[in-house]
Amino acid sequence: MISNKVLAYVRTSGITIKDISAAIHKSPNTISTKLHDPDRFTVAEVKLMTQKLHIPVRFFYE
């Protein structure tokens, strides 16, 4: 199993699923599902989360 640094970062930094949902214009249920498997995020979604929420891009591609 791969380590999920994105989910760990979101939990420790205080970012909520609603914050991510607002940043990339997706439903909270979709975000929750994708957080458990970060490979499912598109490049555009990763770019928005990096720009708006300052989640390091390297967490998505390790």
Side-chain angles (χ1 to χ4, degrees), residues 14 22 37 47 55 61:
D37 184 12
K47 183 177 178 182
I55 298 173
Y61 298 109

Side-chain angles (χ1 to χ4, degrees), residues 2-10 15-50 53 55-61:
I2 61 170
S3 116
N4 192 340
K5 292 184 179 184
V6 176
L7 185 58
Y9 182 82
V10 166
I15 298 172
T16 65
I17 290 178
K18 287 183 181 179
D19 295 335
I20 298 171
S21 177
I24 64 173
H25 307 291
K26 298 280 183 177
S27 75
N29 290 338
T30 302
I31 300 304
S32 180
T33 302
K34 287 184 176 189
L35 277 175
H36 291 285
D37 184 12
D39 294 335
R40 296 181 68 190
F41 283 111
T42 65
V43 174
E45 292 169 342
V46 170
K47 183 177 178 182
L48 286 171
M49 287 189 287
T50 301
L53 302 172
I55 298 173
V57 71
R58 70 178 189 270
F59 290 169
F60 292 94
Y61 298 109

